[in-house]
Amino acid sequence: MELRVLKYFLTVAQEESFSRAAEKLHLSQPTLSRQLKDLEHEFGKQLLIREPRRILLTEDGQLLRRRTEEILSLVDKTTNELLRSEEVSGDIRIGAGESIHFAQIMKVAQRLRQKHPGLRFHIITGDGRTTMTRLDRGIIDFGFVYGKLDPAKYKELPLPVHDRWVLLMRKEDELAQKDVIQAKDLWQSPLLLSRQTLSNSTHGDEMRNWLERPLEQLNIVGSYTLIYNASLMVKEGMGYALSLDGLINTEGTSLCTRPLVPAIFANPSIAWKKNQIFSKGSKAFLAALQENATT
């Protein structure tokens, strides 16, 4: 399995056409087709479904596409780090969920770029579980995450900020008449919970303690990973969404938020793999974050 052939495969998967992929790769169509036939023979599996007007992926092909994207991303990342090893430059990839406090991380990034213009920052959005998976696979350098981390696997820099939990709802809903929301108000209400709230060893621990009821005793009607899509579910009347404050601008909309009491907070941190080998750029960024966290 050669990187060159994996790039061919990914281009065909993206273009859904041998002819368009061959043109993009500057190859003849028969050559490209033969290379991918050889790849299928190497794995002993069909990867492509060759329809008259479109190329589709089999289930094995979809798996190979995901892995190929990860492999080629790592190759590019490693190449850039090696080529720029003598200077503070290159790519820094950060996985992050939604938080108004992520702006503080970007302020640090911009100040560092003013000193080292060769740095490039790439933000890959996802919930905590997705971010940690990307961190484990080396796709990102740092994760902006919440909840407990395994100290045997990760190091972390706690950030001097916290996010308060609120309930997102329609202004016409019954609970919108309240100034604050107690746990008992939600025991019979249709709830939309984040995937992390439904998971162990995340900030869901605090939320489940606050609710004072096992999840199976609640009326959970759906879940979400990012709050914007959950807000659309709320607008349609599907339920109430528990969210971190400040993520949805409700001004001038049909939605509103109410704080939970007693108040509960989620505390973010910057995480990285314990044995991570950093580029000079990543080292400089971490040092800047550490300095900012103590000032």
Side-chain angles (χ1 to χ4, degrees), residues 87-124:
E87 57 181 309
V88 180
S89 61
D91 298 294
I92 298 175
R93 293 175 170 83
I94 307 169
E98 296 172 297
S99 169
I100 57 174
H101 297 300
F102 190 68
Q104 300 301 317
I105 307 302
M106 290 300 94
K107 287 181 181 179
V108 174
Q110 176 56 10
R111 286 200 297 268
L112 191 62
R113 281 201 76 257
Q114 289 173 347
K115 292 176 60 178
H116 306 289
L119 285 174
R120 295 184 296 271
F121 287 85
H122 307 279
I123 310 306
I124 305 174

Side-chain angles (χ1 to χ4, degrees), residues 26 40 54 57 61 93 107 120 155 157 166 177 186 189 193 216 235 258-259 283-284 286:
H26 306 291
E40 289 178 314
R54 187 182 180 191
L57 298 180
R93 293 175 170 83
K107 287 181 181 179
R120 295 184 296 271
K155 290 186 177 181
L157 174 66
V166 297
Q177 307 309 310
L186 304 182
S189 300
L193 303 183
E216 55 269 19
K235 283 181 181 179
R258 295 291 182 269
K283 286 180 181 178
L286 179 56

Side-chain angles (χ1 to χ4, degrees), residues 157-191:
L157 174 66
L159 300 174
V161 294
H162 58 257
D163 293 272
R164 184 170 183 171
W165 282 92
V166 297
L167 189 69
L168 180 67
M169 69 196 89
R170 298 183 300 177
K171 291 176 180 176
E172 64 190 58
D173 288 335
E174 181 180 355
L175 292 182
Q177 307 309 310
K178 294 178 172 286
D179 294 326
V180 295
I181 303 298
Q182 300 179 55
K184 63 183 181 181
D185 296 327
L186 304 182
W187 290 344
Q188 303 301 321
S189 300
L191 297 179

